[in-house]
Amino acid sequence: MEKNYGKFYENYGEMFIVRHKNSVSRASGRGLCGIDKWFVANGLNKSCRIILVFSQIFCIFADNMKIGVFCSANQQIDHDFFELTKALGQWIAQEGHTLVYGGVNCGLMECVAKAVHESGGRVIGIIPEIVAKEGRISQYVDVEILCDNLNDRKQLMMDQSDAFIALPGGIGTLDELFTMAASATMDFHDKKVILYNMKGFWDGLVVMLDDLHTKKVTRKQWRNYIQVVSSFDEITSLLAQG
């Protein structure tokens, strides 16, 4: 990443804060990668952080698929969920894919990032600044992309991921899942949205969605936009379809 990226960024207006693991002191310019040096040279460093157009960083880390994963940041959940999440992360890395996730250092979020990282894969964390201020960024994140809020995080993940997988999670995971699915119903994207129903975790949600369809409050069949799977093999089969 020592090439001059200036030409990529100088004409963009919408920017997000990015921190690279190989940057040491952005204020002084010591230990900076090529992108950081360009920004420092042009006076665009701010509070020892670099402003960067997010789209190019995703292109750099996009050999195969960029898989967005939504999941719980809670540690006190079924141990089997961690084992299944670890297997998913290992597969992502082994297939040369990149993980795109929320960057937090606990629960299934930390589990999937660690599995990808330790298996030789790449991890992009899209992180609201409040999470960074609380010191909750995972050490397994290769590129940290800081954003203002959860809406920014969802938009970044929607734009830059090639597919989405929702693992067991709570309100935040549901928010992300439904945002991706609702956007698909309005043709904002045509990417796969996969609900990984580990050990029947999402059975109640599936029943609720079927009930909403029966009551005709959903204009379209929700299963066309959220693909429910119960096994790891089903996930790999769906993603292999492109």
Side-chain angles (χ1 to χ4, degrees), residues 111-183:
C111 179
V112 69
K114 181 179 179 180
V116 172
H117 180 84
E118 292 188 345
S119 299
R122 288 154 300 193
V123 179
I124 297 175
I126 304 179
I127 307 156
E129 285 205 72
I130 189 172
V131 173
K133 290 177 181 177
E134 294 172 351
R136 296 169 55 204
I137 299 177
S138 172
Q139 64 177 317
Y140 302 110
V141 172
D142 296 303
V143 174
E144 301 166 5
I145 300 183
L146 302 188
C147 54
D148 287 338
N149 52 53
L150 296 178
N151 287 331
D152 286 346
R153 177 200 260 174
K154 288 185 293 183
Q155 187 64 57
L156 281 163
M157 293 189 73
M158 184 188 307
D159 290 342
Q160 302 301 332
S161 298
D162 298 308
F164 312 99
I165 303 174
L167 310 182
I171 293 174
T173 301
L174 287 169
D175 177 34
E176 292 158 337
L177 170 69
F178 286 133
T179 296
M180 302 307 142
S183 297

Side-chain angles (χ1 to χ4, degrees), residues 42-60:
N42 287 274
L44 294 178
N45 55 312
K46 178 183 178 183
S47 302
C48 301
R49 296 173 303 188
I50 300 301
I51 302 295
L52 177 66
V53 177
F54 65 84
S55 60
Q56 298 304 323
I57 210 68
F58 282 100
C59 291
I60 294 167

Side-chain angles (χ1 to χ4, degrees), residues 155 158-159 179-180 182-191:
Q155 187 64 57
M158 184 188 307
D159 290 342
T179 296
M180 302 307 142
S183 297
T185 68
M186 299 183 69
D187 297 324
F188 286 117
H189 72 81
D190 60 357
K191 303 168 185 178

Side-chain angles (χ1 to χ4, degrees), residues 11-80:
N11 295 320
Y12 286 82
E14 185 176 7
M15 296 185 176
F16 290 78
I17 298 169
V18 174
R19 302 191 299 190
H20 301 275
K21 284 296 179 68
N22 57 340
S23 297
V24 178
S25 174
R26 294 175 176 78
S28 65
R30 295 189 301 273
L32 301 181
C33 68
I35 294 175
D36 295 344
K37 288 177 180 175
W38 184 87
F39 278 98
V40 169
N42 287 274
L44 294 178
N45 55 312
K46 178 183 178 183
S47 302
C48 301
R49 296 173 303 188
I50 300 301
I51 302 295
L52 177 66
V53 177
F54 65 84
S55 60
Q56 298 304 323
I57 210 68
F58 282 100
C59 291
I60 294 167
F61 282 82
D63 288 350
N64 291 322
M65 294 185 72
K66 294 164 290 182
I67 300 177
V69 173
F70 311 123
C71 56
S72 174
N74 193 337
Q75 203 69 27
Q76 306 304 318
I77 56 179
D78 191 327
H79 177 73
D80 288 345

